Amino acid sequence: MPHRVAVLALDGLLPFELGIPHRIFGRSLEPAPGNKGAKLYEVVTCSVRPPGPVRTDSDYAILVEHGPEALATADTVVIPASYELGPVFEEGRLTEELAAALALIRPGTRMVSICTGSYVLAAAGYLDGRPATTHWSSADHFQRLFPQVRVDPDVLFIDDGDVLTSAGVAAGIDLCLHLVRRDHGAAVANEIARRTVVPPYRDGGQAQYIHRPVPEPQFATTTAARAWALGRLDRPIQLRDMARQESMSVQTFTRRFREEVGASPGQWLTQQRVERARHLLETSDLSIDQVARDAGFGTATSLRQHLQAALGVPPTVYRRTFRASADTP
């Protein structure tokens, strides 16, 4: 059976965030020729009340066809943001209706929040003594209301095993892609990202709010340089060579790159090489030395150092852990 994801629709919800789990999980397929593989997730939307309309923060309501009983059958529960949380947001306590619905969730179910959906998880006690994040604009209020939660206001998302929280809006896409990657590997997650036309990977540790001006539209971009670099990750890449692809000076290119990507060219290259190494470790039987060369790290020692820094595990452990989890029904 596909992994069952229940998305809890609360009054005042943001339609964009409600649609994220359906777009990411609902389109995830087993790798197969022609992308005709079986669905990896079953996604249902439910309410805390019997089936019926649920208000949004826009000028329309949505008709939800499942009541709270759907929560009892879920392997993962996702709670998007809502602007009508009432006592949850104001006092840090659940309403009787919401408490009764959450009580149906089986022990061990994976809990996920998008944006201020974290208030619901905190009020229900899921975040006690644990790290969590929420939208940067609500972080101070969230910490005051729930002092028992270790709030990190700067990251895109936090994976604490069976409980995961994300920052605002688009960070929900990052978190859902991260879960697909965790469940089924880089190849499946990258294909979903490609179809959704979003970056396949933004590290959860990346700052969620960076105050910087948007580049002027007449400025040239660094897109061609990035495409050029991605096509030769297995070879040495110098900063001056990337700048040359855009006919810029190294100084101008570096500044423009940071404005567009939010990281230096060197940091970005390392991220891309780590992703290439992960993909090869998951999908091939290449030796660690060969994976290191193909990903552009040169030696197994360098690969080990970078993978340890990025993921906390060496290449052999990553490969063994991923394949063991992939073989488990």
Side-chain angles (χ1 to χ4, degrees):
M1 294 291 293
H3 184 103
R4 187 173 174 87
V5 178
V7 185
L8 184 58
L10 301 172
D11 283 327
L13 63 87
L14 283 66
F16 177 86
E17 295 184 13
L18 180 69
I20 290 172
H22 291 269
R23 178 69 198 191
I24 303 301
F25 296 121
R27 299 295 181 90
S28 297
L29 305 176
E30 289 182 346
N35 295 312
K36 297 298 183 181
K39 284 193 172 184
L40 295 170
Y41 301 90
E42 177 189 9
V43 186
V44 297
T45 303
C46 63
S47 171
V48 295
R49 301 184 294 272
V54 173
R55 296 189 301 277
T56 72
D57 73 329
S58 304
D59 61 344
Y60 58 87
I62 61 170
L63 182 62
V64 177
E65 298 183 354
H66 300 276
E69 66 279 355
L71 296 172
T73 65
D75 301 302
T76 293
V77 172
V78 180
I79 304 178
S82 165
Y83 284 145
E84 296 183 22
L85 291 176
V88 176
F89 187 83
E90 296 162 4
E91 306 169 33
R93 66 174 180 87
L94 301 173
T95 63
E96 292 185 6
E97 188 177 54
L98 183 52
L102 296 179
L104 298 174
I105 299 173
R106 298 173 296 176
T109 298
R110 186 165 61 187
M111 302 298 295
V112 177
S113 68
I114 299 177
C115 195
T116 54
S118 55
Y119 278 78
V120 176
L121 294 186
Y126 285 104
L127 300 179
D128 288 356
R130 307 181 77 155
T133 193
T134 190
H135 194 284
W136 62 268
S137 65
S138 299
D140 289 343
H141 176 262
F142 185 81
Q143 185 67 90
R144 290 194 302 271
L145 196 61
F146 303 107
Q148 69 277 23
V149 181
R150 305 200 309 271
V151 181
D152 187 342
D154 297 323
V155 296
L156 292 176
F157 61 83
I158 290 179
D159 180 345
D160 197 38
D162 59 339
V163 179
L164 301 94
T165 53
S166 70
V169 197
I173 298 176
D174 296 306
L175 178 52
C176 289
L177 283 172
H178 168 76
L179 281 172
V180 173
R181 183 186 304 275
R182 199 178 93 172
D183 291 345
H184 300 287
V188 175
N190 290 347
E191 178 61 23
I192 292 300
R194 188 171 70 87
R195 289 179 172 272
T196 311
V197 200
V198 296
Y201 181 73
R202 288 199 299 169
D203 189 349
Q206 182 172 329
Q208 61 168 290
Y209 179 68
I210 303 173
H211 186 67
R212 61 174 182 263
V214 176
E216 292 295 329
Q218 67 267 25
F219 285 173
T221 73
T222 60
T223 303
R226 278 177 275 149
W228 175 83
L230 286 174
R232 51 183 295 124
L233 288 177
D234 59 329
R235 287 169 278 178
I237 298 175
Q238 301 296 326
L239 180 57
R240 63 176 179 272
D241 295 328
M242 294 184 67
R244 191 177 298 122
Q245 305 306 310
E246 304 290 358
S247 300
M248 297 181 189
S249 69
V250 170
Q251 184 178 12
T252 299
F253 176 80
T254 302
R255 184 180 69 253
R256 194 69 45 73
F257 196 98
R258 281 187 175 275
E259 290 174 345
E260 294 178 9
V261 179
S264 71
Q267 291 169 331
W268 178 83
L269 276 173
T270 298
Q271 292 171 0
Q272 304 312 309
R273 283 176 165 147
V274 167
E275 287 306 297
R276 173 72 63 83
R278 290 176 69 168
H279 176 75
L280 293 174
L281 290 169
E282 294 173 11
T283 60
S284 77
D285 293 317
L286 295 174
S287 68
I288 301 302
D289 287 327
Q290 187 61 55
V291 169
R293 288 192 292 270
D294 288 355
F297 289 117
T299 66
T301 299
S302 179
L303 169 61
R304 189 176 301 108
Q305 291 171 344
H306 282 93
L307 210 66
Q308 185 79 42
L311 306 177
V313 294
T316 52
V317 174
Y318 180 83
R319 171 176 273 170
R320 183 168 61 247
T321 302
F322 174 78
R323 292 194 172 181
S325 63
D327 291 340
T328 301

